[in-house]
Amino acid sequence: MKARTVALVCVAAVVTTLPAGRSRAQEQLPTFRSMANAVAVDVSVRDNKRKSVTGLRAGDFEIYDNGVKQDVAEVSYGRLPIDVTVALDISFSVTGILLERLRSGVVTLMRDLGREDRLRLMLFNSRVARVVDFTTDEKKVEAAIKGAIAGGGTGLFDSISVALVSTAPRDRRQLVVVFTDGNDSTSTTQPATLTNVALRTRAAVAMVLPGNGPIVVTGSTSAQQVFTSLKMSLTPQPYDGFFQSLASATGGSVVRTNASSDLNAVFKQILEEFRSAYVLLYDVKGVERGYHELEVKVKRDGVNVTARRGYWN
Amino acid sequence: MIARGPLLAGLTIASAVAVLAGQEPPQQTFRAGTDVVMVDVSVRDGRQIVTGLTAADFVLTDNGVRQQIENVEATSVPIDVTLVVDVSGNPGMAWRTRANASAIEASVQREVSQVAAILRPVDRLRLVTIDRYIRQVWPFLPVNALPPVRGLEMDGLAATYDALAAVLLHPVAPARRHVVIARTKGVDTISAVRSGALGAIAQRSDARFHLVLMEEALTTDEEARRWQCVQLGQCWPTVRSWIPHKTLMIDSGEFHKITTDGFLIKAGVEATGGAWHQAAGLSVPSLTGTFKATFDDFRSSYMLRYTPQGVARGGWHTIKVTVPERRSLEVNARRGYGVEEVIPPAPAPVPAPNARLRALPEFIAAFERGALGQVQDSLRRHAAPLLLLKDFEEEGNPWPGSPRLEAAFVLALCEPLVYSTRSADRDGALAFLNRYWPLVRHPLDPDDFEAEWAYAALTMLQGVIRPAMTEPFIERVRERFPNDPRFLLLRAINSEQRSLPGTRLTIYEAPGAPRPEIAEVVRQQYLEAIQFPAIAAEARIRLSWMLYRAGHPEEARSQLMQAGASPLPDVELRYLQQLFLGHVMAATGDQDQSIAAYRAAAAILPAAQSPRVGLMNALLLRGERAEAESLAEFIQTTRAQSQDPWWTYWQGQYRMHPQAMQRLLEMAK
């Protein structure tokens, strides 16, 4: 970015005016005042029972940009529309029943979206392909997943990178949900590069991965399958630490599942957590260009605050 | 031996394997496409061996029909000798005492040494012992490589008929002759094979079979038993608690008359052109004496070759060989051979060019038509390819006259199995390849077809990325073709595959970084490969990637620059060189060069995804967001489905497999 006057960098952008001809619901979207160096940050505030804490105002937050305290100009809660990009791993390892559960999970996720929210579907193995662009048409998404044929290697890092860099409207919050077995066999993007890409883009990344928790085997299954599940569960995934770090850097999350997990509930949980976040807007002052480390505090006891760790400007 | 189908003639018919392995053998010529019968003939004038005869001197009839003798050779054919020594039931003494193992071993050792001393360097010797178990003490070995005779199992019950049958059923290596010399007391106690079956097996065996009876041992045994029984009242051996039921080839009386069992076996022995050796007057046959006489015969015998004409192919063929101009000569040859009656299957309907093939005959028909792609595609989608392989193995070569075509077909059949996720499929295919591999070997010297077949097989196996599984095959081929650089590169890649953690392919950072000890081995192997211009560029590019993974981007860059110093005709190598350069330059902090390299790679293969993703990342990190977003849009919306060579990088030389199969098919034609 050359001029600080357009410094929206990788965080949710400022919307000064809305285009003409929008629906009534859209007209009710929050608007932020025009600011020279505006930065918007998603902040999730939860109590010890992971219940969202609502009713906070600008005065309840403290935000530090590279250690310099900033003035929070405006706060919005759960009102900005959301764009969800679902990236599904359809490599060799994701087949059959699992693919069917995924279809069901994504369709449920669509039903939980708000009227102004949209969903984009990307499928990947070695190749990444956007099969449905931002839409509210549930049938289109369902048909696309049904038609998916699993096979090939896994270009997980490449796919996340493409999803993050993809153009997205600046007046909407961005969430990328990645469902994968966590392996990568064909990416050209290195983890370090992917982290840098994530810090230069806006979306929060939520990873849905096979879990490390206790094994629950449902239905009839052979001893061989049980053993395989167990082995898979107990073997540390090579990129475990990286996924955690990527999610935290973007203000996202990592959710682990197992054979008995209800994927519908998992996707719902991710969406709810993302939706129930505050968007803080401030006009950045007193810091140089480059990487900005963020710290967000809430002036209340017993709450957990989650926000992206920083951004590039 | 793999069932040869129509060529399962036993005896001396040149098998498909011989044709396969020896298109242009230096010493013998085998006719391709038809059955060729080879008959050993020795000719004596009294005790004098007659030499110098030509094809015109012989008359040969096959089932009474005179045949055209195409070729007569003498002395040039190497011999495989199987010595069978009966060490059951205390061979040196009466059975009432325990055997003296070291004395018996020393005795066998002496005899083996005497036989070995007679053989030529090209000949080979195998030793088999008879006891409760049949034991091959060592397989066919050159005489200068024979290990000492040690650890024989002896003094047990006698599986004589089983042992002789097993020995006679041993397949004869193409272009060699097989002689079996067995010495036994002629007693059998526990065999599953009966005397009649043994005689029939002998008749159909490829070997010339000589049987030497140990009458003295039999007599000693019998006398001891009688003495014990009459004098001591102990009618069983003193250290045994029972006397097993037994059958005899010769009776245990004074004159050792041949029993009914013996006659059945003797007929089989003589049908091979061999002989039944019993004491005659004061002359007692010995193992070495018999061998010496046999070997003299062999060494100066003739090998007549002919293609049967005017006779039905299947069934028993009686052979008669004479030298009509000199009727006083004694002509000794085998008396016949059998050819399995084969009813040719109804021709399979020719499948449509794009049809999905299901049954083996359809695959065979399509392959014969040259539709390799259709065969491979259908095999990859076949529900039970292992059953197809088993059918194929049972039914034998569908192209008896084209064993090279069969060899190529074998690889096509095995491919979906070695890539299967089911271990039973993989194990089945590997076991089959192990059995089949020796059949492709040229019997004398490695030849071009064997090299191409081995290359096609190894490129197929390398793609599975199971380096431990592939390594023994590579080592075996390297021994046969030490100067072929392609196998050097295959070996280096295989070693690098070993540096990948487990079966999971992780590429970067800690999980993917090669372990230092493996990295050094890989590095040395690539450096060795770089010495050969034909493979130097690929070896350098692969070495550079290994160096990059190991955290040496500067060295990697140097190798990549050298690889690109000369024009690279292989488009995939050109692409990988630029793609890797993009990564390496980024790692050394040269963003501009990195972006230029990614652009170059994308220009070489416009539909490949990897350089565009690399370029997208690099541009975003340099702040050129608009072009990065435009690339992201292109990447996820392009419908081009061309393969990205990076995605199959770890499959090594599998990329060369299609060309290797095409070359193989050309050679098979």
Side-chain angles (χ1 to χ4, degrees):
Chain A
M1 286 292 179
K2 289 182 181 174
R4 297 193 71 189
T5 50
V6 287
L8 299 181
V9 202
C10 55
V11 192
V14 179
V15 181
T16 52
T17 56
L18 287 171
R22 288 212 163 183
S23 70
R24 190 174 166 191
Q26 283 172 308
E27 284 164 9
Q28 292 172 351
L29 294 176
T31 58
F32 293 122
R33 290 175 298 152
S34 176
M35 291 182 289
N37 301 302
V39 175
V41 183
D42 290 350
V43 180
S44 167
V45 184
R46 300 187 171 275
D47 62 19
N48 289 335
K49 294 178 181 172
R50 290 199 60 77
K51 195 176 170 190
S52 185
V53 177
T54 57
L56 299 178
R57 299 171 180 279
D60 296 319
F61 292 95
E62 283 182 1
I63 189 158
Y64 296 86
D65 190 316
N66 271 350
V68 178
K69 189 174 178 184
Q70 306 289 325
D71 294 330
V72 178
E74 292 200 29
V75 172
S76 158
Y77 178 81
R79 292 170 65 192
L80 279 176
I82 297 169
D83 278 349
V84 181
T85 299
V86 175
L88 294 186
D89 180 345
I90 54 159
S91 62
F92 188 74
S93 48
V94 181
T95 55
I97 295 171
L98 183 53
L99 201 58
E100 177 52 30
R101 289 173 62 209
L102 276 175
R103 187 195 59 74
S104 166
V106 175
V107 169
T108 306
L109 174 67
M110 275 211 85
R111 288 174 188 160
D112 287 338
L113 290 175
R115 286 179 62 191
E116 302 306 320
D117 300 337
R118 303 179 305 179
L119 185 138
R120 167 167 69 179
L121 181 65
M122 295 169 79
L123 302 179
F124 67 92
N125 41 32
S126 291
R127 186 179 292 281
V128 54
R130 185 179 74 210
V131 289
V132 179
D133 202 356
F134 285 123
T135 184
T136 54
D137 186 345
E138 179 184 307
K139 284 184 181 163
K140 214 189 254 185
V141 172
E142 192 168 7
I145 298 177
K146 270 187 178 170
I149 298 169
T154 314
L156 174 60
F157 302 151
D158 281 358
S159 304
I160 298 176
S161 189
V162 169
L164 289 171
V165 178
S166 296
T167 313
R170 293 174 179 272
D171 56 344
R172 309 172 74 90
R173 297 178 65 208
Q174 299 294 322
L175 170 67
V176 173
V177 182
V178 184
F179 182 90
T180 175
D181 62 5
N183 284 322
D184 191 302
S185 60
T186 59
S187 278
T188 202
T189 304
Q190 298 183 36
T193 307
L194 183 55
T195 302
N196 280 329
V197 167
L199 292 174
R200 284 167 168 82
T201 48
R202 298 169 44 209
V205 177
M207 306 285 301
V208 184
L209 297 165
N212 281 342
I215 297 301
V216 182
V217 181
T218 56
S220 66
T221 184
S222 67
Q224 174 80 26
Q225 283 171 316
V226 173
F227 177 73
T228 307
S229 292
L230 189 64
K231 200 170 150 195
M232 186 177 177
S233 176
L234 297 179
T235 306
Q237 298 296 309
Y239 299 114
D240 259 9
F242 169 69
F243 292 137
Q244 197 60 57
S245 148
L246 180 71
S248 327
T250 60
S253 56
V254 174
V255 182
R256 304 207 170 269
T257 64
N258 57 36
S260 65
S261 292
D262 179 356
L263 285 181
N264 298 8
V266 166
F267 283 125
K268 191 170 183 150
Q269 177 198 335
I270 289 170
L271 181 64
E272 281 309 307
E273 289 195 1
F274 184 72
R275 196 201 302 276
S276 58
Y278 294 88
V279 181
L280 310 187
L281 186 80
Y282 67 94
D283 195 10
V284 63
K285 287 173 187 164
V287 286
E288 297 299 315
R289 291 184 64 194
Y291 181 67
H292 294 240
E293 191 174 300
L294 287 176
E295 187 183 7
V296 181
K297 295 179 181 175
V298 173
K299 298 172 192 166
R300 280 197 189 181
D301 292 333
V303 295
N304 298 309
V305 181
T306 309
R308 65 184 302 132
R309 289 202 308 248
Y311 66 95
W312 274 84
N313 179 11
Chain B
M1 188 178 200
I2 306 297
R4 298 289 91 207
L7 284 182
L8 191 65
L11 305 194
T12 50
I13 290 184
S15 72
V17 182
V19 182
L20 166 67
Q23 293 290 326
E24 294 173 6
Q27 294 184 352
Q28 298 84 39
T29 54
F30 295 86
R31 290 169 54 96
T34 53
D35 296 346
V36 177
V37 181
M38 297 178 285
V39 186
D40 282 325
V41 180
S42 60
V43 184
R44 284 177 178 268
D45 186 356
R47 299 182 66 180
Q48 200 69 28
I49 291 166
V50 177
T51 56
L53 298 177
T54 66
D57 295 318
F58 292 99
V59 168
L60 187 152
T61 60
D62 185 321
N63 275 350
V65 179
R66 183 167 176 175
Q67 302 292 324
Q68 175 73 39
I69 297 168
E70 295 160 353
N71 189 287
V72 173
E73 284 182 20
T75 71
S76 64
V77 181
I79 300 170
D80 284 344
V81 178
T82 300
L83 285 184
V84 185
V85 181
D86 184 350
V87 291
S88 65
N90 195 353
M93 305 276 293
W95 203 34
R96 63 193 167 84
T97 54
R98 293 283 183 196
N100 181 340
S102 57
I104 292 164
E105 281 179 358
S107 161
V108 174
Q109 177 70 70
R110 262 195 312 279
E111 289 172 312
V112 166
S113 301
Q114 285 166 1
V115 169
I118 300 168
L119 290 170
R120 302 162 299 183
V122 292
D123 301 325
R124 300 185 303 179
L125 184 63
R126 171 169 75 137
L127 180 62
V128 175
T129 55
I130 299 174
D131 194 61
R132 195 168 37 149
Y133 295 101
I134 307 150
R135 183 170 171 230
Q136 179 172 280
V137 182
W138 63 70
F140 285 119
L141 293 173
V143 288
N144 58 3
L146 299 178
V149 177
R150 288 214 183 102
L152 297 186
E153 279 181 36
M154 58 183 74
D155 204 18
L157 302 176
T160 309
Y161 298 169
D162 283 354
L164 294 176
V167 163
L168 290 167
L169 285 170
H170 191 281
V172 176
R176 303 184 76 85
R177 285 186 288 181
H178 185 199
V179 57
V180 173
I181 303 196
R183 183 186 60 194
T184 170
K185 281 189 256 189
V187 177
D188 189 286
T189 49
I190 54 170
S191 284
V193 171
R194 312 298 289 266
S195 55
L198 177 59
I201 288 168
Q203 275 192 335
R204 286 160 177 77
S205 163
D206 284 333
R208 188 178 283 201
F209 181 23
H210 289 267
L211 195 59
V212 180
L213 278 305
M214 300 161 65
E215 294 168 81
E216 220 169 312
L218 190 68
T219 302
T220 310
D221 228 11
E222 186 58 25
E223 283 174 353
R225 193 188 70 79
R226 272 195 213 131
W227 182 83
Q228 274 185 174
C229 190
V230 173
Q231 301 296 328
L232 305 178
Q234 296 175 327
C235 293
W236 55 86
T238 46
V239 295
R240 327 269 166 184
S241 58
W242 59 285
I243 299 173
H245 168 77
K246 59 190 175 191
T247 60
L248 299 167
M249 294 185 197
I250 50 177
D251 69 27
S252 50
E254 192 177 345
F255 300 105
H256 292 160
K257 288 180 187 166
I258 302 178
T259 62
T260 308
D261 284 331
F263 273 117
L264 291 170
I265 294 166
K266 185 168 182 271
V269 167
E270 288 172 350
T272 68
W276 173 278
H277 301 271
Q278 252 190 283
L282 296 176
S283 165
V284 177
S286 68
L287 191 73
T288 48
T290 304
F291 176 71
K292 190 170 183 324
T294 306
F295 187 71
D296 282 345
D297 257 6
F298 247 118
R299 190 156 51 180
S300 49
S301 71
Y302 302 87
M303 183 177 275
L304 313 187
R305 300 169 189 230
Y306 70 98
T307 305
Q309 303 286 344
V311 287
R313 188 172 186 279
W316 180 255
H317 293 239
T318 301
I319 300 174
K320 190 172 180 191
V321 183
T322 55
V323 181
E325 297 298 319
R326 298 169 67 180
R327 291 185 182 280
S328 61
L329 299 183
E330 182 192 336
V331 179
N332 185 25
R334 67 177 312 123
R335 294 175 189 175
Y337 66 95
V339 178
E340 191 177 84
E341 200 76 68
V342 174
I343 300 164
V350 178
N354 297 321
R356 188 164 159 190
L357 312 173
R358 286 187 167 80
L360 184 61
E362 292 176 335
F363 283 100
I364 290 167
F367 194 79
E368 192 174 327
R369 205 179 60 222
L372 179 61
Q374 186 184 13
V375 168
Q376 288 175 325
D377 184 51
S378 298
L379 280 169
R380 285 167 191 155
R381 293 191 289 161
H382 200 279
L386 189 57
L387 290 180
L388 282 180
L389 188 69
K390 283 180 176 164
D391 285 351
F392 168 77
E393 197 167 2
E394 277 173 17
E395 291 174 22
N397 184 3
W399 306 284
S402 304
R404 287 181 168 188
L405 195 60
E406 180 200 29
F409 186 60
V410 160
L411 293 185
L413 271 181
C414 285
E415 191 187 3
L417 292 166
V418 296
Y419 281 84
S420 170
T421 52
R422 293 185 290 259
S423 61
D425 284 354
R426 291 197 303 274
D427 294 346
L430 290 177
F432 178 76
L433 280 175
N434 262 319
R435 288 195 296 277
Y436 193 84
W437 207 293
L439 303 183
V440 188
R441 290 171 67 120
H442 188 287
L444 302 176
D445 294 306
D447 68 353
D448 288 348
F449 183 80
E450 184 188 341
E452 285 305 318
W453 190 88
Y455 183 63
L458 291 181
T459 52
M460 174 182 78
L461 292 173
Q462 187 150 80
V464 188
I465 320 184
R466 292 180 186 272
M469 174 190 91
T470 309
E471 190 167 278
F473 290 102
I474 292 181
E475 290 311 314
R476 187 189 300 176
V477 174
R478 289 249 313 128
E479 276 176 24
R480 294 281 289 173
F481 303 97
N483 299 318
D484 191 328
R486 295 176 301 173
F487 300 122
L488 214 55
L489 184 59
L490 274 158
R491 183 187 61 166
I493 296 170
N494 199 66
S495 300
E496 192 179 8
Q497 286 180 342
R498 286 205 144 191
S499 76
L500 302 170
T503 54
R504 183 184 296 126
L505 281 180
T506 45
I507 302 164
Y508 299 107
E509 297 191 340
R515 295 200 298 277
E517 66 276 16
I518 293 181
E520 189 48 36
V521 170
V522 176
R523 181 199 192 96
Q524 290 305 324
Q525 291 182 348
Y526 278 133
L527 289 173
E528 204 180 327
I530 285 169
Q531 304 307 313
F532 295 85
I535 53 165
E538 181 161 2
R540 280 192 192 283
I541 290 168
R542 289 186 175 276
L543 173 60
S544 79
W545 191 245
M546 200 275 294
L547 290 167
Y548 172 74
R549 289 170 59 222
H552 307 295
E554 294 291 352
E555 285 180 69
R557 180 166 64 176
S558 164
Q559 290 296 339
L560 286 170
M561 300 308 268
Q562 289 179 68
S566 307
L568 293 170
D570 185 328
V571 68
E572 290 192 8
L573 290 185
R574 259 200 337 267
Y575 165 84
L576 287 173
Q577 190 240 357
Q578 290 296 334
L579 179 67
F580 291 172
L581 210 49
H583 297 323
V584 168
M585 292 297 191
T588 55
D590 193 338
Q591 273 190 320
D592 291 344
Q593 288 296 314
S594 168
I595 287 172
Y598 286 136
R599 287 193 198 281
I604 294 167
L605 288 178
Q609 182 179 279
S610 298
R612 292 187 188 279
V613 172
L615 183 59
M616 176 193 77
N617 291 335
L619 289 169
L620 185 85
L621 299 188
R622 205 166 69 169
E624 296 175 36
R625 181 177 296 272
E627 192 179 349
E629 286 182 355
S630 163
L631 272 167
E633 181 70 11
F634 177 84
I635 290 164
Q636 61 190 297
T637 55
T638 183
R639 292 290 171 257
Q641 290 296 315
S642 73
Q643 188 70 9
D644 184 335
W646 164 245
W647 295 345
T648 52
Y649 177 78
W650 290 110
Q651 292 185 285
Q653 293 301 86
Y654 184 53
R655 72 191 189 93
M656 308 303 284
H657 184 65
Q659 295 98 303
M661 284 300 288
Q662 284 301 338
R663 276 202 302 277
L664 211 56
L665 285 175
E666 287 301 315
M667 293 176 91
K669 285 175 187 167

